[in-house]
Amino acid sequence: MTALDTLSPDAIAARLSGSPEERAAFVREAAEAGMAEAQAVYGQMLLDGTGVAADPAAALAWFVRAAAQHHVMALNMVGRCYDLGWGTPVDKARAAECYRVAAARGLDWAMYNYATLLALGDGVPEDRPAALALLENVAAMNTGLASAKALNFVGSFAEDGWACPRDLARAAACYASAAEGGDFRGCFNHARMLGAAGEIDAALGWLEQAGARGNAAFVTKAQAFLAASDIAAFRTRGVAALREGAQC
């Protein structure tokens, strides 16, 4: 038994209600006591710089410790670190293996991440039918943002005819659902489809949402796309809407 085991629920709540630094210190205490959930949470705090100085290498080490205790989200995060080079050199094959194992255990985010690598042949042999099947499974789980992102990707498969017949109506429906679910790429793709259908005002609203939700790299890429669009309103009002959202 550790000192943490003697804390009452009220005492734990009090420790977690302090400043970000105090919360991080408490979570680290629990992590060092061997609690897998705390190890995973503290790893995320280190990755994000929440209450502690950002330290991706230390974050990875905590994710590894939690994953060794069969914490499935921590295993997915080990994959993310190797996928994106957070605290370690990029190793797509190792990332894919982490995702594959976590996906087999039913984690929505791992299924999405593994499907992404399969679709692109990144770290694993390309297998678009398997990727689409995983994405459709995640979409059907209706688990929030992971499902919204999966829906957006299913829409891309339908729009491009990857591993399925090209179906623009299905793509549009997927993008609309992904946008409603909060995925910034879904917002942008939904806006594209609305603009192509002549529904400019509705499209502008979703472009603003895409800007508000998307990261800086996405906004830069999306702005370049809009600036070169065949739709005149996108080149002017569309760019403005995206920028306005990004500034919120």
Side-chain angles (χ1 to χ4, degrees):
M1 178 179 291
T2 69
L4 293 171
D5 295 319
T6 65
L7 292 177
S8 69
D10 286 345
I12 292 172
R15 294 285 299 273
L16 291 173
S17 66
S19 68
E21 292 75 16
E22 290 169 332
R23 290 196 297 273
F26 178 62
V27 173
R28 174 162 188 160
E29 185 180 345
E32 289 175 337
M35 298 180 183
E37 180 66 18
Q39 291 170 348
V41 171
Y42 190 59
Q44 192 66 52
M45 287 178 160
L46 285 163
L47 198 59
D48 297 336
T50 303
V52 290
D55 188 338
L60 173 57
W62 282 109
F63 290 140
V64 168
R65 289 177 67 173
Q69 296 194 66
H70 309 290
H71 192 289
V72 68
M73 180 56 86
L75 179 58
N76 175 70
M77 291 308 299
V78 173
R80 291 288 283 168
C81 289
Y82 281 108
D83 193 355
L84 299 173
W86 293 341
T88 184
V90 170
D91 187 336
K92 296 288 187 176
R94 193 163 184 177
E97 183 61 13
C98 291
Y99 293 153
R100 184 191 66 79
V101 174
R105 293 175 59 186
L107 181 66
D108 53 359
W109 282 110
M111 293 165 71
Y112 173 81
N113 291 330
Y114 188 46
T116 299
L117 296 187
L118 286 169
L120 301 175
D122 206 356
V124 287
E126 182 183 296
D127 190 341
R128 288 177 177 172
L132 179 58
L134 277 172
L135 292 167
E136 289 175 334
N137 284 342
V138 178
M141 291 168 74
N142 197 27
T143 52
L145 189 56
S147 292
K149 286 185 172 295
L151 271 168
N152 176 70
F153 213 163
V154 171
S156 293
F157 271 68
E159 184 175 5
D160 296 333
W162 283 6
C164 62
R166 191 162 186 259
D167 187 338
L168 294 183
R170 186 188 185 199
C174 287
Y175 292 150
S177 294
E180 293 287 354
D183 176 46
F184 62 86
R185 292 186 179 87
C187 293
F188 184 79
N189 288 328
H190 185 35
R192 283 196 302 109
M193 291 292 195
L194 288 169
E199 300 180 45
I200 299 300
D201 288 342
L204 294 176
W206 286 110
L207 287 174
E208 185 173 344
Q209 285 295 312
R213 297 174 184 274
N215 55 46
F218 166 79
V219 170
T220 298
K221 187 175 181 179
Q223 182 174 309
F225 177 92
L226 293 171
S229 175
D230 292 336
I231 301 172
F234 275 1
R235 297 195 298 270
T236 53
R237 297 167 64 200
V239 169
L242 185 76
R243 287 175 176 170
E244 183 176 348
Q247 292 170 0
C248 291

